[in-house]
Amino acid sequence: MTENTRDPEHEVTPKCTIDGPGDDRRVFLAKMALMGGALVGASCTSQPKAPAPPAASPPPPPTKGSHRGAQAHVSPGQLDDYYGFWSGGQSGEVRILGVPSMREIKRIPVFNRCSATGWGATDFSKKLLGGKMSGDTHHVHLSYNGGTYDGRYVFVNDKASARLARISCETMEVDRIIDEPNSQGTHGILPQRHKTGYVFCNAEFRTPQVNDGRDMTDPSKYGAMHTAVDGETMEVKWQVLVEGNLDLCATDYQGNYSFATCYNSEGGVTLEQMMGADQDHLYVFHIKNCEKAVAEGKTIKVGDSPYPVIDARGPDSPYVLRVPVPKSPHGVNVSPDGKYAMCAGKLSPTVSVVQIDKLAAAFAGKIKPRACVVAEPEVGLGPLHTAFDGKGNAYTSIFIDSVMTKWNIAKAIKAFKSKDGKTPNPILQRLDVHYQVGHTNASMSETKDADGRWLIALCKFAKDRYLNVGPLHNENDQLIDISGDEMKLVHDGPTFPEPHDCVIVAKDLIHPNKIQPRTDPRFAIYESWAKADGVNLKKDNKVIRRPDGTVRIYMTSQAPNYGMRDFTVKTGDTVQIILTNQDNVEDLSHGFCVSLHDVNFLVNSNDTNSMTFTAGSPGVYWYYCPWFCHALHLEMRGRMIITS
Ligand code: RUQ
Ligand code: CUA
């Protein structure tokens, strides 16, 4: 079956027309969701028909309401307008793409072992990772000031081991990793936006609190943590314990609230149990009240963890307000004007629009929490996340329908108040994407400066869009031009599995250093070793046998030479290579690879890096520079001589 034909047998429901490619997988997924009783009140008939999917190339001819469009092609030698920060999912990394070219510029190893850079094996990274070599990054967000990015840090979660990492934008290298206490499945994160204050982290998996063997068979006693981490010091400040599992996270623009979508209000532990109730919640955390409780000691301790915990399980309190929304919400995104939190329905075809300035009255008990919901447009089957153009429109990713739905916020609010609840129709366009879009984000969408130029649909399946490369398919991140009245698909971007989310940041806000600054906290460690050994890191080439038997090799590099042509150690020695790159020139990295010893790491211009290993059996072992650095790069090597 070709993309543009539809097999009537594959219609999912008599009422609901799924436009676009009627392929087996799309229909299969839709059927699965329906079989799970997952969709409530789904009725697509009122929605505008989605345009036919565009041919692979050339781009479709202009249609009514089209526009000249933003220029997606970036010529050789030209720079992109935006930095795109992509999470890498189960690859454990973060990637930097240029937008709109979608060229992958850099991979930043975070929770993963990286052979190219030695991340996970160098002394510094090994210490940060604490022996874990995998991770699952979902959400990347940058530090803010005054409602927009301040260009200092990138924060990213690890769902697998409940951690939060910070990348310094100076070097685009991880500088901190912390554990989230009493948490599993750390999922949604978001920094505060008025300044670099807290970074909030949601635990998606409810667990016994304390999780030490007690309460295992009584899920009613399970709970989940909303954790406030200081974005400057990366210290956990406090936690709020709630009964529900916390999914995506958002913050307002004033510093008053943080948000968490909360599905599984049933408190179930199986899929069926988690989908029982028709209603779940958007949890709203009142930051000042939480801080006050912490200051007044109205907190508990959970297990051995030293951090104060506000026990907010049970009914609404000064700390947490539960705004009812249709079943199993997923994404929550705050509009660039700071007025609304958009809560995507996932198992409901709606987005609930929560008006943030009504929350104070709800916290004060003057209005019901549900009265904060001012619109609930029907956007399609399986809405997951919402992006913004700064012009009053929202773009919601629709997983089951494989479309992006563009809708107008003001119209949705008007329609909600109208007699039939539907007039005016807020839905402006539904654009086919390929396939099964998860996250979406737009240029500067998570800031007050959303500029309405580019939208990314992070599609979970690529299927037939690329050459067949075997059972593991890539993901497909599609670039959509939103600068005109209509969304236009302009580019397919294959990615290695599996980005979950991205943010698109105006290039003028990010200023990395091209030469390694030696002020980075990492250098304090090397400096302290050098001081103890009476070594000048930047000049000396010395072998130091420490009292504990460790052999420290301090070495320099300058293309195409190492400061040492050879060094000698004994079989079984613990050897630590501390290499300093004397080249102070842009793009002149060296590295250090030791034959047959699984030692390989990167040392950038003006950088120092180190790795520790055990010397093998007696013999000669060449070490060499793995980074092409000079015409005589292949000759850049020396001998490690191991004696018995
Ligand atoms: S999640 S597809 Cu991990 Cu951000 Cu929504
Ligand atoms: Cu240094 Cu190649």
Side-chain angles (χ1 to χ4, degrees), residues 532-550:
D533 294 335
V535 164
N536 181 338
L537 276 181
K538 293 196 78 174
K539 286 215 303 260
D540 290 347
N541 287 281
K542 280 188 183 164
V543 177
I544 306 275
R545 194 167 277 274
R546 308 265 309 150
D548 65 359
T550 333

Side-chain angles (χ1 to χ4, degrees), residues 324-397:
V325 294
K327 78 187 307 173
S328 297
H330 184 57
V332 53
N333 299 87
V334 171
S335 56
D337 59 10
K339 286 187 186 160
Y340 306 107
M342 311 300 185
C343 197
K346 190 171 77 186
L347 302 190
S348 159
T350 53
V351 174
S352 303
V353 179
V354 173
Q355 188 172 323
I356 291 171
D357 68 8
K358 285 181 181 265
L359 291 169
F363 265 106
K366 291 183 193 143
I367 58 170
K368 287 245 162 64
R370 177 66 195 175
C372 301
V373 176
V374 295
E376 214 149 60
E378 261 195 32
V379 290
L381 298 184
L384 292 183
H385 298 278
T386 302
F388 306 95
D389 60 9
K391 294 178 262 183
N393 302 312
Y395 301 78
T396 300
S397 55

Side-chain angles (χ1 to χ4, degrees), residues 5-290:
T5 54
R6 230 174 43 227
D7 179 352
E9 262 185 35
H10 283 143
E11 296 293 330
V12 212
T13 74
K15 264 203 210 127
C16 184
T17 310
I18 295 179
D19 290 301
D23 55 83
D24 292 343
R25 185 195 303 246
R26 177 181 294 199
V27 173
F28 170 76
L29 284 159
K31 273 187 180 160
M32 288 309 288
L34 289 166
M35 270 158 38
L39 298 164
V40 281
S43 157
C44 303
T45 43
S46 65
Q47 276 146 18
K49 194 175 170 335
S57 71
T63 51
K64 188 177 156 278
S66 77
H67 53 98
R68 286 199 320 156
Q71 184 60 256
H73 180 72
V74 181
S75 301
Q78 299 299 302
L79 302 181
D80 281 287
D81 292 335
Y82 300 89
Y83 286 87
F85 292 89
W86 256 244
S87 68
Q90 59 274 39
S91 71
E93 63 192 17
V94 164
R95 301 166 193 162
I96 302 177
L97 272 69
V99 176
S101 74
M102 304 292 277
R103 297 178 293 195
E104 184 184 279
I105 306 172
K106 184 164 193 156
R107 294 184 166 196
I108 304 171
V110 182
F111 300 108
N112 55 316
R113 171 78 170 84
C114 171
S115 175
T117 59
W119 189 259
T122 57
D123 295 316
F124 176 76
S125 60
K126 221 171 162 177
K127 195 163 161 237
L128 279 191
L129 291 168
K132 294 191 180 105
M133 288 299 148
S134 68
D136 188 12
T137 59
H138 285 219
H139 302 110
V140 274
H141 289 285
L142 277 68
S143 53
Y144 287 84
N145 194 14
T148 193
Y149 299 124
D150 67 2
R152 297 193 301 148
Y153 300 118
V154 180
F155 301 97
V156 65
N157 75 306
D158 171 25
K159 182 168 173 175
S161 288
R163 290 176 291 180
L164 179 71
R166 186 176 74 180
I167 294 163
S168 156
C169 291
E170 246 191 24
T171 53
M172 292 302 172
E173 187 184 290
V174 172
D175 74 347
R176 295 288 179 85
I177 294 178
I178 61 160
D179 292 317
E180 297 286 316
N182 310 307
S183 298
Q184 282 180 34
T186 294
H187 191 219
I189 63 158
L190 216 88
Q192 287 191 293
R193 303 197 220 218
H194 63 305
K195 61 168 192 182
T196 307
Y198 300 118
V199 181
F200 291 100
C201 306
N202 283 342
E204 187 174 347
F205 302 144
R206 303 163 66 243
T207 56
Q209 302 284 345
V210 185
N211 194 17
D212 60 357
R214 72 185 74 175
D215 300 331
M216 292 195 287
T217 53
D218 184 2
S220 72
K221 295 223 175 91
Y222 293 6
M225 293 287 184
H226 182 66
T227 303
V229 176
D230 183 326
E232 298 284 358
T233 63
M234 290 294 276
E235 285 167 340
V236 172
K237 287 300 181 188
W238 41 268
Q239 302 188 283
V240 185
L241 175 58
V242 292
E243 65 291 342
N245 56 194
L246 304 175
D247 197 7
L248 270 293
C249 189
T251 54
D252 65 358
Y253 278 79
Q254 289 78 34
N256 296 328
Y257 306 111
S258 56
F259 304 93
T261 45
C262 180
Y263 66 97
N264 191 18
S265 56
E266 304 84 349
V269 289
T270 65
L271 186 71
E272 296 72 28
Q273 289 167 356
M274 292 185 206
M275 296 200 312
D278 273 343
Q279 187 181 281
D280 286 290
H281 301 93
L282 178 71
Y283 279 25
V284 184
F285 298 87
H286 194 297
I287 296 168
K288 287 217 172 61
N289 288 350
C290 290

Side-chain angles (χ1 to χ4, degrees), residues 250-575:
T251 54
D252 65 358
Y253 278 79
Q254 289 78 34
N256 296 328
Y257 306 111
S258 56
F259 304 93
T261 45
C262 180
Y263 66 97
N264 191 18
S265 56
E266 304 84 349
V269 289
T270 65
L271 186 71
E272 296 72 28
Q273 289 167 356
M274 292 185 206
M275 296 200 312
D278 273 343
Q279 187 181 281
D280 286 290
H281 301 93
L282 178 71
Y283 279 25
V284 184
F285 298 87
H286 194 297
I287 296 168
K288 287 217 172 61
N289 288 350
C290 290
E291 284 174 331
K292 194 158 167 264
V294 172
E296 290 170 358
K298 292 179 182 161
T299 52
I300 57 168
K301 291 262 148 74
V302 174
D304 301 334
S305 162
Y307 308 106
V309 174
I310 299 161
D311 189 352
R313 288 175 290 187
D316 287 342
S317 62
Y319 315 114
V320 187
L321 188 77
R322 293 160 182 81
V323 179
V325 294
K327 78 187 307 173
S328 297
H330 184 57
V332 53
N333 299 87
V334 171
S335 56
D337 59 10
K339 286 187 186 160
Y340 306 107
M342 311 300 185
C343 197
K346 190 171 77 186
L347 302 190
S348 159
T350 53
V351 174
S352 303
V353 179
V354 173
Q355 188 172 323
I356 291 171
D357 68 8
K358 285 181 181 265
L359 291 169
F363 265 106
K366 291 183 193 143
I367 58 170
K368 287 245 162 64
R370 177 66 195 175
C372 301
V373 176
V374 295
E376 214 149 60
E378 261 195 32
V379 290
L381 298 184
L384 292 183
H385 298 278
T386 302
F388 306 95
D389 60 9
K391 294 178 262 183
N393 302 312
Y395 301 78
T396 300
S397 55
I398 314 288
F399 180 82
I400 294 170
D401 284 352
S402 281
V403 300
M404 291 296 311
T405 297
K406 176 179 179 179
W407 53 281
N408 182 271
I409 300 166
K411 280 188 182 167
I413 293 170
K414 221 171 175 189
F416 195 66
K417 284 193 215 127
S418 72
K419 276 215 188 77
D420 64 356
K422 284 188 172 164
T423 325
N425 180 6
I427 308 298
L428 304 177
Q429 189 195 354
R430 281 159 55 88
L431 176 77
D432 276 312
V433 288
H434 314 85
Y435 301 91
Q436 263 72 42
V437 55
H439 266 276
T440 182
N441 229 322
S443 42
M444 297 295 286
S445 177
E446 289 292 331
T447 74
K448 68 176 174 49
D449 298 325
D451 61 11
R453 288 182 69 199
W454 300 108
L455 181 74
I456 308 278
L458 292 107
C459 299
K460 298 292 186 190
F461 298 95
K463 296 190 301 183
D464 47 7
R465 304 278 297 181
Y466 299 94
L467 292 176
N468 176 2
V469 289
L472 175 62
H473 291 50
N474 57 285
E475 317 304 314
N476 191 19
D477 296 343
Q478 295 192 300
L479 179 72
I480 298 162
D481 175 1
I482 54 167
S483 63
D485 291 340
E486 282 189 356
M487 296 181 275
K488 282 196 185 308
L489 178 60
V490 296
H491 185 82
D492 269 13
T495 50
F496 186 69
E498 175 176 327
H500 282 244
D501 196 7
C502 66
V503 290
I504 302 157
V505 179
K507 70 164 188 281
D508 298 343
L509 297 176
I510 307 287
H511 303 281
N513 235 308
K514 289 187 175 177
I515 307 275
Q516 178 68 43
R518 296 184 67 86
T519 46
D520 207 77
R522 185 157 61 82
F523 288 83
I525 307 171
Y526 314 132
E527 294 293 352
S528 75
W529 294 335
K531 197 172 168 209
D533 294 335
V535 164
N536 181 338
L537 276 181
K538 293 196 78 174
K539 286 215 303 260
D540 290 347
N541 287 281
K542 280 188 183 164
V543 177
I544 306 275
R545 194 167 277 274
R546 308 265 309 150
D548 65 359
T550 333
V551 187
R552 281 193 185 145
I553 315 284
Y554 289 95
M555 204 185 295
T556 59
S557 64
Q558 193 170 51
N561 283 301
Y562 287 117
M564 257 182 229
R565 301 292 161 94
D566 57 63
F567 64 86
T568 303
V569 292
K570 285 202 196 70
T571 294
D573 272 347
T574 300
V575 182

